[in-house]
Amino acid sequence: MGLAREIVSAYADLRASLEKRRYTPFTKAEYLRKLGAHVGEACYIVPTDLGTEPYLVKIGNHVAIAAEVAFHTHDGGVWVLRDGCTDLQVFGPIVIEDNCIIGHRSSLMPNVRIGRNSVVAPNSVVIMDVPENSVVMGVPARPFGSLEKYRQKCLERWAQQRPSDIKIEPGETWWTSKHRTANRDKLRQHLLTLFSDQLK
């Protein structure tokens, strides 16, 4: 009986693993919706795991979520409080509004809302709401500046770093252009030249 359960469990794990591999970051929303998460359109999502309560996660439209982002929809700290209440659990939703990016290895704690048009820098721990149009970073995540200030800085840098011969068709993006591979090669050469002194 024990061996049969192990085989069934291993088979279920294998099926789940194969199911996850069917999806790319551009189509991951479909998989996460099957788990009960509320996910908008035009998202780029790398993680396949939204924590133990994916139905408490809401992701808006045009949201990018980098690798190894952790979603904590429950408070694991209650473990140390269970001496008087053995079934103690505390939960809270995580809401990411439209047009946000969550950086690599960030952690989102229960009961947080990330306002639209916001950037969460890599390795940040978000323990409270992030206002709209914000850039936050750190442990715990704190406001670093406005989205407008960040936009200006990025546009200035891109004006210096963008190769002049990049081709992107009207209506396409860097990622969807048929020239993506050639553009990437041009960018690589341009950046190596631009930063040659710093890379010595």
Side-chain angles (χ1 to χ4, degrees):
M1 191 77 157
L3 179 60
R5 278 193 189 137
E6 287 181 34
I7 292 171
V8 169
S9 177
Y11 178 71
D13 290 346
L14 177 62
R15 283 190 61 188
S17 176
L18 292 173
E19 174 74 6
K20 289 177 187 178
R21 291 182 190 174
R22 287 184 40 214
Y23 299 96
T24 71
F26 290 106
T27 62
K28 195 81 52 85
E30 180 184 339
Y31 172 74
L32 297 174
R33 287 184 196 116
K34 288 180 182 180
L35 299 179
H38 309 274
V39 184
E41 300 300 320
C43 293
Y44 181 87
I45 302 171
V46 177
T48 53
D49 181 9
L50 297 182
T52 53
E53 298 82 29
Y55 48 87
L56 292 179
V57 175
K58 182 177 181 185
I59 299 169
N61 297 315
H62 194 255
V63 171
I65 302 174
E68 299 181 48
V69 170
F71 291 80
H72 303 281
T73 52
H74 65 277
D75 185 346
V78 299
W79 177 268
V80 300
L81 306 175
R82 289 191 179 147
D83 54 346
C85 182
T86 57
D87 64 345
L88 179 61
Q89 298 283 340
V90 177
F91 301 93
I94 296 170
V95 177
I96 304 170
E97 295 181 354
D98 296 345
N99 198 40
C100 292
I101 183 166
I102 312 300
H104 184 254
R105 289 190 175 168
S106 290
S107 290
L108 309 179
M109 303 309 282
N111 292 309
V112 297
R113 176 178 292 271
I114 298 172
R116 62 188 312 123
N117 305 317
S118 292
V119 175
V120 175
N123 298 305
S124 296
V125 178
V126 180
I127 62 171
M128 61 184 111
D129 290 353
V130 173
E132 290 184 1
N133 303 305
S134 296
V135 177
V136 299
M137 63 177 56
V139 180
R142 292 189 176 100
F144 183 71
S146 70
L147 185 66
E148 192 52 42
K149 185 177 175 182
Y150 180 66
R151 179 191 321 270
Q152 283 306 117
K153 187 181 285 188
C154 288
L155 289 172
E156 288 169 12
R157 286 182 180 164
W158 185 234
Q160 295 172 339
Q161 296 174 0
R162 185 183 196 277
S164 59
D165 55 349
I166 281 184
K167 296 177 186 172
I168 297 177
E169 310 86 339
E172 297 298 326
T173 68
W174 177 268
W175 301 106
T176 60
S177 171
K178 67 181 179 183
H179 303 289
R180 179 179 173 200
T181 302
N183 287 341
R184 193 100 183 120
D185 291 341
K186 291 173 187 176
L187 179 65
R188 179 180 183 273
Q189 289 303 317
H190 183 71
L191 292 178
L192 285 172
T193 302
L194 187 65
F195 296 118
S196 62
D197 288 342
Q198 292 168 289
L199 294 172
K200 286 183 181 176

